[in-house]
Amino acid sequence: MRKPMIAGNWKLHKTVEEALDLVEALKDELTGIDDADIIVAPVFTALGKVAETLSGSNISLAAQNCYPEKTGAFTGEVSPMLLKDIGCRYVIVGHSERRQLFGESDEFINRKIHSLLEEELQPIFCIGETLEERENGRMYDILTRQVKEGLKGMEAAAMRNIVIAYEPVWAIGTGKTATDEQAAEAHAFIRGLLQGVFDQETADATRILYGGSVKPENVDGLMAQDDIDGALVGGASLKAPDFARIVRFKRN
Ligand code: 13P
């Protein structure tokens, strides 16, 4: 019922030339796959060329960030309108690196999500607790706050165009993946939150991706969990064979 989604977040990696080499390789490796949505999120400077290369393929384009205003005196920022113009279909928002390194608040992330929906772009909305929050027993409070504040003012119907990514901060770039059980538990909790904020139908229809050290070796176990609908992949998305293997996770 929920189509799997595998998204590669390239973070701050790859020149335009390197990005094009990677997408050419991915196009070859992933030809014909239509039972999963496949997405890559290169750096801003590579988006235009990558969009041209991906045109007509089964791989969609995402940006890694945006600013909530359309145009204006906002030096250095890029708006949803411009990302749509260049061929993006998705935009990652609320990534823990942006929350932690750039001080992004739930309120600011909420503005970005509204702004993306106005442009008919699909937010990939990231949430997740730190190790300290988990160890202090605050994980559920943190996830509740991030979901409720991040999705404030959203109609249930809007959730059709929003993807949630649960990325426990302690699992990002550390090689320490959440166990299948830990991930499954968090995903079930998030789906329960969506039911509370919206309704059962919306909760059942919303895709929730897992992110944090997803690799060819652990993707099958994660994807076998009922509430895990896909993966947001960092490091392993930078190598075509690894990302292709993740996209080809074992179907049930
Ligand atoms: P890694 O897969 O490198 O742990 O990164 C996860 C991530 O942050 C994806 O957005």
Side-chain angles (χ1 to χ4, degrees):
M1 181 189 53
R2 295 184 295 265
K3 188 175 184 187
M5 172 182 282
I6 307 291
N9 173 10
W10 295 2
K11 307 193 180 181
L12 183 44
H13 293 287
K14 301 207 180 277
T15 62
V16 173
E17 199 181 322
E18 289 163 350
L20 294 179
D21 285 348
L22 178 53
V23 286
E24 288 291 1
L26 287 176
K27 278 203 312 186
D28 286 346
E29 300 230 24
L30 298 173
T31 310
I33 295 185
D34 60 5
D35 62 351
D37 287 330
I38 310 168
I39 297 164
V40 292
V43 293
F44 282 132
T45 49
L47 287 175
K49 283 273 169 60
V50 169
E52 286 170 22
T53 306
L54 290 181
S55 172
S57 78
N58 57 346
I59 305 173
S60 303
L61 190 65
Q64 297 175 18
N65 185 29
C66 69
Y67 189 72
E69 299 293 333
K70 203 170 191 152
T71 58
F74 305 105
T75 303
E77 296 299 330
V78 177
S79 67
M81 189 263 282
L82 297 181
L83 294 172
K84 186 176 169 183
D85 180 52
I86 209 167
C88 289
R89 183 159 163 205
Y90 301 89
V91 178
I92 298 170
V93 290
H95 194 280
S96 65
E97 286 149 19
R98 298 225 52 94
R99 292 178 189 262
Q100 293 198 316
L101 303 174
F102 303 97
E104 293 197 4
S105 65
D106 293 308
E107 188 269 335
F108 189 48
I109 294 160
N110 175 257
R111 280 177 57 206
K112 294 185 190 203
I113 295 176
H114 280 283
S115 169
L116 286 166
L117 294 175
E118 272 171 38
E119 293 295 337
E120 296 177 333
L121 285 168
Q122 299 191 32
I124 299 175
F125 168 40
C126 304
I127 57 175
E129 81 288 356
T130 63
L131 186 59
E132 194 193 352
E133 288 161 348
R134 175 175 274 260
E135 286 177 345
N136 292 340
R138 292 173 53 221
M139 162 180 152
Y140 294 119
D141 289 346
I142 297 293
L143 294 177
T144 303
R145 191 204 74 217
Q146 290 175 336
V147 166
K148 290 197 169 163
E149 298 298 315
L151 297 177
K152 207 172 222 167
M154 220 57 71
E155 304 278 345
M159 290 306 293
R160 257 181 269 142
N161 294 313
I162 298 177
V163 177
I164 292 182
Y166 169 63
E167 299 204 303
V169 179
W170 47 273
I172 295 179
T174 57
K176 253 205 237 169
T177 325
T179 62
D180 296 345
E181 294 72 27
Q182 284 172 322
E185 187 194 4
H187 280 235
F189 177 75
I190 294 162
R191 206 173 296 288
L193 280 175
L194 295 175
Q195 188 208 332
V197 174
F198 301 103
D199 51 64
Q200 187 68 52
E201 196 188 335
T202 303
D204 287 341
T206 304
R207 288 186 287 191
I208 308 176
L209 316 183
Y210 168 79
S213 299
V214 176
K215 306 178 264 244
E217 301 78 49
N218 59 25
V219 68
D220 296 337
L222 289 162
M223 290 302 293
Q225 308 303 314
D226 284 346
D227 285 308
I228 301 185
D229 307 312
L232 181 55
V233 187
S237 71
L238 298 172
K239 291 194 189 126
D242 285 2
F243 189 64
R245 170 62 185 85
I246 292 170
V247 172
R248 293 181 186 281
F249 69 88
K250 191 161 159 276
R251 279 36 171 188
N252 289 323

